[in-house]
Amino acid sequence: MLQFHTLASSSAGNAYLATDGQARLGIEAGLPWRQYQLAMKHQVSRLNGVLVTHQHADHSRAIKDVLKAGVDVYTSDAVAETIGRSHRLHVLPTNGVAVRIGDWRVLAFDLIHDVPCIGFLIQGPSGQKLAFITDTGYVPITLQGIDVLAVEANYSEPTVQAHVKRGVVDPRQAKRLAQSHLSIEQVLELVKAVDLRRCREIHLLHLSAGNSSARQFKHLLESATGIPTHIAPERGALA
């Protein structure tokens, strides 16, 4: 069975793991290398590969160390240009063609962020599917037949606007959030458009420390979908 684990999820660093039987696929490498190794229980070499969405350090910080460890990284052309190309750094197409990574099939698609960013539709060896979406102003594709949804819910729009009025949040920061990150309100609209008949769990990622409420977000999603919803902690533990 396809399982999704949060190792870290915040602006300080992001790292996740998909597993399906013996197959293991890393998603994001945004922790310092020692922390990344610890989060992976020093089993980085067992990964079939690591997917990285974009070049911001909280998502890509450990890429060079992952490559040095002999693990292939799959990412966008923009990240490859930033990091420096190597035989283990692969650019994922976003033209609807899936790429095989060990026992996994990964379909990458473009997202809308302040730098080039991609999301992933990941199919494990069992045939189950995970959709992974973070750091985007909106979701430009329609998702169907997924078993696990991992999606950013960075902030609440009313909370941000209240903070702007109180002077807690700069209006320019609020504008950037709206253009480059998903709110819980947008996620609630997204799940209305997604075929969730097969979906057995939802994971909310990358919650803002000051502009979100984990308890409220969980309640809203479970009330809207009837699907168990998990809030990614800032620092998770691999079960």
Side-chain angles (χ1 to χ4, degrees), residues 119-137:
F120 309 113
L121 183 59
I122 302 165
Q123 184 174 16
S126 68
Q128 295 185 345
K129 294 180 180 180
L130 160 69
F132 181 89
I133 302 167
T134 190
D135 288 59
T136 186

Side-chain angles (χ1 to χ4, degrees), residues 2 16 29 54 59 104 118 147 172 184 199-200 220 238:
L2 178 62
Y16 310 90
H54 65 291
H59 296 261
W104 305 87
I118 54 178
D147 299 277
R172 291 170 295 182
I184 185 62
C199 190
R200 54 183 170 77
L220 288 170
L238 178 56

Side-chain angles (χ1 to χ4, degrees), residues 112-191:
I112 312 300
H113 196 42
D114 51 12
V115 297
C117 185
I118 54 178
F120 309 113
L121 183 59
I122 302 165
Q123 184 174 16
S126 68
Q128 295 185 345
K129 294 180 180 180
L130 160 69
F132 181 89
I133 302 167
T134 190
D135 288 59
T136 186
Y138 63 93
V139 180
I141 69 167
T142 300
L143 302 171
Q144 295 182 336
I146 58 175
D147 299 277
V148 180
L149 174 62
V151 61
E152 172 186 54
N154 186 259
Y155 65 100
S156 165
E157 293 176 11
T159 299
V160 169
Q161 292 307 314
H163 286 168
V164 169
K165 289 181 179 179
R166 290 170 51 198
V168 176
V169 172
D170 188 289
R172 291 170 295 182
Q173 181 186 0
K175 183 178 180 180
R176 178 185 179 275
L177 280 175
Q179 293 175 338
S180 61
H181 290 280
L182 288 176
S183 68
I184 185 62
E185 291 79 17
Q186 288 172 295
V187 174
L188 288 168
E189 289 300 313
L190 172 66
V191 296

Side-chain angles (χ1 to χ4, degrees), residues 11 14 19 21 41 47 97 112 214 216:
S11 58
N14 292 272
T19 66
K41 293 190 173 180
L47 296 174
V97 176
I112 312 300
Q216 179 191 35

Side-chain angles (χ1 to χ4, degrees), residues 14-25:
N14 292 272
Y16 310 90
L17 179 69
T19 66
D20 195 332
Q22 296 300 310
R24 299 160 60 90
L25 187 67

